[in-house]
Every structure is written in C-alpha cells, then in structure tokens.
Amino acid sequence: DGKGGIYNFCKQWVITDKEIICNTIHGFKMMLDLREPMQNRIYWYRNYDEKNEALLVKRLLKRGDIFYDIGANVGFYSLLASTIVGLKGSVVSFEPNISAFNKLKKNIEINRRVPIHAFNFALGSEEKEGILYSKSLLPDGCASLIEPQRGDYAEKVRIRRLDTIMEELKLPKPDFVKIDVEGYEVYVIESASHILSPENAPMILIEMTNNKKTIIDNLSRFGYLAAELYKGKWYRIIDPEKARSRNLFWYKDVHKEKLGSLIWKTSFIL
C-alpha cells in the first residue's frame, strides 16, 4: 500500500543501529531496537502490523478486565491492554525469550501504567525445560520451541502449566487471552482447560499456524465459536480449518451481547 511504499523508501535514510523511544497512536511509549524489522515498522507506523487485531482488543476490553498476553514479546499488546483496564484491572504477560523479556520490562518501566505482571517462562502442557530456537539475538517475535530450523541460536527456557501457576501465584482469571507462541499454541490450550471449559470463559485471540485441527477440536469442545479477519472485518466461520487469516478470534454465546455487531454473520470465500 501507499504507506508501505513510503516506509520502504524512507527507512534507508534512518540510522537503525540504535534503540529509540517513540509514542504509539494508542497512547503508550515503546523502546524499540531499529535493527529488528518488526520494531522498525512500529517506529515508522507508530502501530503494530496487526492493526485490526489491536482494534479488536481495544473494543472488547473494558476497565477492570484481566488480560493475559501469552507470547508477549516486547510488550505491544500488554501495553495496549494496560491503557484500557485501569487500576482495577490487570495485565499478565508471559515471555520466555530473555532478550524479549528484558525489552518488555523496559517498556513497562517507561510507561509506569497499570501494573503489568511479567513472567519469564513459557506455558505448555508439561512442567519441564525446553529449548527456544531463534534466528537472531534480537527479539523478533519468531522464536520457537518446536522448530529448530528457525535459526542458529538456542536458549534453555522453563515451561510451566497455566493452571499450576495460576493457583501457585494466585493469578486472577482472565477476561481476554492473546496467544502467539509460534506453533506452541496447542500446548498452551491443553494447560488452560480449567479456564476455557466454564461458560464464563475468556475470549481468545490466537495465532494458528500449527496443529490447527487439534486446537479447533479442543476449543470447539469447550463451546467456542470462531471468527476470522477478512478485509478489515471479523466474520463468523463455520470451518476454521479454511480460515484465510492467521489469527482467529474465539468466543462463546455468553460473549455475544458484548460483541454486538462486531462479528459479521457468515464468512464467504471470495
């Protein structure tokens, strides 16, 4: 698009070997490393690439809500949620990659907003240690626990079950959960059945690139319905395996009043 063309032209004139603090269009600041492409784009656009997903979070979260950011990276969604939930709400962030976690902590300190409780471990179906593979020492959001081909760097990380740490740390039950863990999503879901099975379970925004059928079967078994993003709008999709968007939004009947007209009735393949 036009903005993309301007970005590609102008970025060549900007010094990229430094960190810089910038204001986003959502009202919070971020310390960004311009050497990393994702953070470089946030600097230029003052927004994240997933602008429609960000708007979804802004529309559905309300003051006093609890937001879980699973795979928080440098903290865009965590900071976004913190501008909404207020002092009566809370943001809980999980990020196993140490370089991303350190940048997340810096971004929390810069903003001094609602307390964001950040934890430096992964979530999964077993309590164990794992190897996180990445192609860069910079926090690029692409580190994976299951794909060694992601790069040359390997980092030993701790993996915890969500149900275990919620009880252990007395964490509040979430109203909205964002999950983006580069293929490990199915194991996060398996560790969260205690919060997903009740009727008043949280809404979920999840990246689905691996084990789609298992994720779909598990969430459908808990009574969830799926919506996909298409041309800036969210559509109810009957068969999530055919979804065109990589991120799917999952909700239950109990959420429909809050959703209002946000979800269009049917998704047509065009």
Side-chain angles (χ1 to χ4, degrees):
D1 59 11
K3 287 184 178 179
I6 294 173
Y7 163 75
N8 288 326
F9 175 76
C10 292
K11 69 177 183 180
Q12 62 185 311
W13 307 110
V14 174
I15 298 173
T16 60
D17 60 343
K18 65 176 182 178
E19 291 186 326
I20 191 167
I21 295 176
C22 79
N23 294 302
T24 70
I25 65 171
H26 302 289
F28 58 84
K29 298 177 180 180
M30 294 193 76
M31 178 179 285
L32 302 169
D33 189 326
L34 300 187
R35 294 172 298 172
E36 198 285 302
M38 179 196 71
Q39 295 179 57
N40 194 291
R41 290 179 70 85
I42 292 175
Y43 169 75
W44 278 96
Y45 288 96
R46 299 300 196 263
N47 197 8
Y48 189 43
D49 280 350
E50 298 178 353
K51 59 183 181 180
N52 290 297
E53 289 87 342
L55 289 174
L56 178 76
V57 171
K58 290 184 74 170
R59 176 163 177 177
L60 294 178
L61 272 185
K62 65 181 187 299
R63 195 160 297 277
D65 277 351
I66 310 299
F67 181 80
Y68 278 20
D69 190 358
I70 303 175
N73 196 245
V74 298
F76 178 87
Y77 278 103
S78 294
L79 296 167
L80 175 67
S82 77
T83 67
I84 303 167
V85 301
L87 292 174
K88 292 185 177 179
S90 183
V91 176
V92 182
S93 308
F94 303 93
E95 175 52 55
N97 180 271
I98 190 60
S99 62
F101 181 76
N102 288 336
K103 183 62 67 66
L104 168 64
K105 295 289 285 185
K106 286 183 181 178
N107 282 324
I108 293 171
E109 292 168 7
I110 289 169
N111 287 274
R112 299 186 181 279
R113 294 181 176 276
V114 176
I116 299 175
H117 308 284
F119 299 99
N120 183 215
F121 51 75
L123 297 179
S125 56
E126 298 179 71
E127 295 270 336
K128 63 180 183 179
E129 286 190 337
I131 302 296
L132 189 67
Y133 302 96
S134 57
K135 61 183 178 182
S136 169
L137 292 176
L138 298 173
D140 61 3
C142 295
S144 172
L145 283 162
I146 61 172
E147 298 181 10
Q149 67 270 27
R150 287 291 177 107
D152 299 325
Y153 301 96
E155 173 187 352
K156 186 178 290 186
V157 299
R158 191 178 182 190
I159 302 173
R160 305 292 312 274
R161 282 189 60 90
L162 182 59
D163 51 7
T164 301
I165 63 105
M166 283 185 68
E167 181 178 355
E168 180 182 302
L169 302 175
K170 308 301 180 187
L171 297 177
K173 178 183 171 295
D175 299 289
F176 198 117
V177 179
K178 184 226 89 182
I179 308 174
D180 182 356
V181 288
E182 301 302 312
Y184 213 68
E185 290 80 7
V186 65
Y187 305 106
V188 174
I189 295 296
E190 288 176 4
S191 79
S193 59
H194 68 299
I195 63 168
L196 302 181
S197 55
E199 188 58 32
N200 63 339
M203 296 173 285
I204 304 170
L205 178 64
I206 181 172
E207 183 182 61
M208 296 180 57
T209 54
N210 294 73
N211 299 299
K212 277 188 177 182
K213 187 176 187 310
T214 304
I215 295 173
I216 292 166
D217 289 346
N218 285 341
L219 291 177
S220 299
R221 176 167 53 88
F222 292 139
Y224 276 94
L225 306 171
E228 67 166 345
L229 180 64
Y230 183 65
K231 293 187 176 180
K233 295 179 180 178
W234 293 92
Y235 291 89
R236 168 83 173 95
I237 183 167
I238 305 302
D239 184 358
E241 285 196 80
K242 296 180 180 178
R244 293 156 291 191
S245 59
R246 117 178 145 265
N247 294 316
L248 291 189
F249 173 62
W250 293 82
Y251 61 97
K252 292 192 176 187
D253 285 335
V254 70
H255 300 129
K256 286 183 176 179
E257 183 176 349
K258 177 183 283 190
L259 293 172
S261 60
L262 179 65
I263 306 297
W264 289 58
K265 262 190 175 180
T266 312
S267 175
F268 297 100
I269 302 295
L270 299 178

